[in-house]
Amino acid sequence: MSQSSGDSAKVAGATYTRAGQDYFQKRTLKRSAGVWGLWGLAVAAVISGDFSGWNFGIDFAGFGGMLIAFAILVIMYYGMIFSIGEMAAAMPHTGGAYSFARSAMGPWGGLITGAAETIEYVATTAVIVFFSAQYANFITTELLDFSLPFWVWWIILYLVFIALNAAGAAISFKFAIVVSIISIGIILVFSAMAIFSGAFSWGALWDIPADEGQSAFLPHGVFPILFALPFAMWFFLGIEELPLAAEESHDPVRDIPRAGLWARGTLIVTGLLVLVLNTGVIGAAATGVSLEPLLDGFRAIVGDGAAAVLALFALVGLLASLQGIMFAYGRNMYSLSRAGYYPKFLSLTGKRQTPWVALIVGAVIGFAALVLIDVVTALNEGAGAVAGAVVLNIAVWGAVLAYLLQMISFIILRRKFPDAARPYLSPWGVPGAIAAAVIAALIFVGFLLNPTFLPAIIAIGIVYVVILVGFALFFRHRLVLSPEEEYALSGGTHRDPQAEGYDVMETELFGEEKKP
């Protein structure tokens, strides 16, 4: 039921205001991506996880435990990406996770899920900028004999990739394809070198001393596998951003599920190569504590003399993910802003038809987080590593929450909108979504049980309080009938905004607009 009074209407516990065609003309996106562009975007967003981050799970659970965690996450990501592919094909607009949850669980569910993705992508971008600056400064110091303060590198990296993402979606997708191919090539070169140089050793996979009563395969037992799962997520985290490109895809109904399938297969292969060969070259004990495991693997094979050149290779992988994840937070913030959940100016697109305002604001937030890390480091020696881990864990925690809520949304929507058009159906159906949800919930519980993750949980809790209070007091009363909202309120009948128009339901809800 709705209550309409001129240019506002109360529906589903929120108040919608008339926006008009002019509002959406200032917030348009351009279709620029085919299936390969989407594949490149998905792979680019994830590939830096093969270069660093994943390896800390070995320190918790050993190589055997990490291998089991990897297998568990393959199941989770298959179930999840199949489910997301079905929902994205049914809802070919930019909202992604927010849109799925909005249709299933109302405005509050949409906000909670969308905010989880915002936190995930902004925090992940900050982490990648942090590590990219470390690599870039090492390269310039060794090869060009100059260095810069890290905060200067952060600004440079943010500015360059804001410019790249704001220059146009076509440029972003082409860049993603190129850097994805280069990054995969680096991993394949490392794999060949590891196999044919003789540096790889099966015994090195099991060199973590086993606790009393445990085995070399699981040196610390079964339970620590739970703590390894968040780190194993770095082999795949970010692939779920594909639905955010729906309004920039030539054929989202066909290409998003297909690109997700191919990207998932690519990442399983590269992840297994790195997990097995990188660990077998430098040993499980060294891998579990390395800040740059792939680079350490190259060093073990060819020595330290070529370290700066090898660091340049590793930097390519980091920059690939920097571009992909920045694309994701820009579109996520754009869609929530266009609907009125965030300040509406964040969704302005300009002449290039890219959400340049959201890109800048997300970068400012990420830069502020990095400055905080720097300050903590200066005040307490060694705390920088702890602060960096907090930001990394915030990203994973946000991802896990978004995964869980999206799978719940999938199950609800199968029942809530049984007759809605579903051009693509998940081959795993509801059982696949349930499996993915159970694993996501398991990782969520692992966060709660591991005291090292507590600072991340506290930080994300504070962010949520601010977002939810702002929505309850202000934004909830100023929502707009964006495509995501139209789909939810129409029961799935208004699917494609670029085909049907962006203000179709405004006339239905508010009546004819009064002309002056």
Side-chain angles (χ1 to χ4, degrees):
M1 295 294 291
S2 66
Q3 294 179 333
S4 178
S5 57
D7 288 342
S8 66
K10 293 184 177 181
V11 189
T15 302
Y16 291 85
T17 58
R18 187 191 296 272
Q21 192 62 34
D22 183 62
Y23 177 86
F24 293 108
Q25 286 176 349
K26 296 176 181 178
R27 293 162 172 82
T28 57
L29 301 172
K30 185 177 181 179
R31 294 198 183 276
S32 307
V35 66
W36 284 111
L38 295 170
W39 169 87
L41 180 69
V43 172
V46 181
I47 200 71
S48 68
D50 288 350
F51 289 75
S52 60
W54 63 270
N55 53 296
F56 298 123
I58 291 181
D59 191 42
F60 279 103
F63 175 77
M66 191 64 178
L67 194 62
I68 293 172
F70 184 92
I72 291 171
L73 287 185
V74 167
I75 295 172
M76 184 184 81
Y77 275 93
Y78 263 100
M80 184 180 72
I81 299 302
F82 280 144
S83 301
I84 286 176
E86 176 176 315
M87 292 187 290
M91 308 176 215
H93 40 246
T94 302
Y98 136 65
S99 180
F100 309 153
R102 167 63 187 91
S103 293
M105 298 181 283
W108 285 98
L111 175 64
I112 292 170
T113 307
E117 277 208 335
T118 303
I119 294 166
E120 171 195 354
Y121 295 139
V122 171
T124 301
T125 303
V127 170
I128 297 171
V129 166
F130 183 85
F131 286 116
S132 297
Q134 305 280 342
Y135 276 91
N137 199 60
F138 173 72
I139 292 166
T140 58
T141 300
E142 294 296 317
L143 297 182
L144 304 176
D145 197 30
F146 83 89
S147 64
L148 296 171
F150 285 120
W151 65 268
V152 176
W153 281 115
W154 301 338
I155 292 175
I156 291 171
L157 288 164
Y158 270 120
L159 287 178
V160 168
F161 281 87
I162 287 172
L164 174 64
N165 276 280
I171 295 174
S172 295
F173 288 120
K174 289 176 182 177
F175 180 85
I177 293 173
V178 171
V179 292
S180 293
I181 292 172
I182 293 173
S183 300
I184 293 168
I186 293 168
I187 292 172
L188 293 177
V189 168
F190 170 79
S191 300
M193 291 172 65
I195 293 170
F196 295 110
S197 68
F200 174 80
S201 168
W202 285 107
L205 299 174
W206 325 105
D207 67 355
I208 295 178
D211 296 340
E212 185 177 353
Q214 305 300 336
S215 65
F217 186 78
L218 295 173
H220 306 308
V222 174
F223 189 72
I225 295 172
L226 190 63
F227 300 148
L229 287 170
F231 298 101
M233 280 179 60
W234 281 95
F235 286 120
F236 305 102
L237 189 145
I239 190 175
E240 72 280 358
E241 77 170 68
L242 274 175
L244 295 171
E247 288 179 49
E248 291 161 286
S249 168
H250 293 305
D251 189 352
V253 170
R254 182 195 67 178
D255 289 347
I256 287 179
R258 184 179 298 178
L261 181 64
W262 290 355
R264 188 163 60 252
T266 303
L267 294 166
I268 289 172
V269 172
T270 59
L272 276 175
L273 287 173
V274 169
L275 173 59
V276 176
L277 297 177
N278 201 166
T279 307
V281 168
I282 65 176
T287 301
V289 296
S290 174
L291 294 177
E292 43 197 29
L294 195 67
L295 183 55
D296 285 343
F298 272 119
R299 286 173 176 150
I301 296 171
V302 301
D304 292 331
V309 176
L310 298 176
L312 184 60
F313 291 154
L315 181 60
V316 172
L318 288 167
L319 297 182
S321 289
L322 178 54
Q323 191 276 334
I325 296 295
M326 185 175 282
F327 178 97
Y329 84 61
R331 271 59 179 182
N332 164 270
M333 294 174 69
Y334 161 86
S335 60
L336 284 159
S337 166
R338 182 174 64 176
Y341 291 84
Y342 292 170
K344 293 183 176 68
F345 72 90
L346 294 177
S347 55
L348 293 171
T349 53
K351 294 180 180 179
R352 297 284 184 176
Q353 295 181 305
T354 54
W356 62 274
V357 180
L359 292 168
I360 292 173
V361 171
V364 170
I365 295 171
F367 178 78
L370 292 176
V371 171
L372 176 62
I373 292 173
D374 203 39
V375 170
V376 171
T377 303
L379 293 177
N380 185 7
E381 185 178 355
V386 176
V390 169
V391 178
L392 187 150
N393 290 329
I394 286 172
V396 176
W397 195 91
V400 170
L401 179 59
Y403 294 172
L404 176 60
L405 293 173
Q406 285 179 91
M407 294 305 94
I408 293 173
S409 298
F410 177 89
I411 296 167
I412 293 174
L413 286 172
R414 278 287 187 97
R415 293 177 175 271
K416 186 176 181 180
F417 293 169
D419 299 324
R422 289 178 170 84
Y424 169 82
L425 290 176
S426 164
W428 286 16
V430 171
I434 292 173
V438 169
I439 296 170
L442 192 65
I443 300 172
F444 188 88
V445 171
F447 265 93
L448 298 179
L449 295 178
N450 192 333
T452 61
F453 296 145
L454 183 60
I457 295 172
I458 293 173
I460 206 169
I462 293 172
V463 172
Y464 257 113
V465 168
V466 172
I467 291 175
L468 294 179
V469 169
F471 183 68
L473 298 179
F474 183 81
F475 295 105
R476 181 167 60 94
H477 305 294
R478 292 165 176 81
L479 296 185
V480 170
L481 285 173
S482 68
E484 297 84 0
E485 299 297 312
E486 286 196 357
Y487 183 91
L489 294 177
S490 69
T493 59
H494 290 303
R495 294 184 55 247
D496 189 347
Q498 292 181 326
E500 301 169 3
Y502 281 88
D503 56 354
V504 174
M505 282 193 66
E506 289 202 348
T507 301
E508 298 177 15
L509 195 61
F510 304 117
E512 292 292 337
E513 185 175 5
K514 296 179 181 179
K515 304 295 182 183

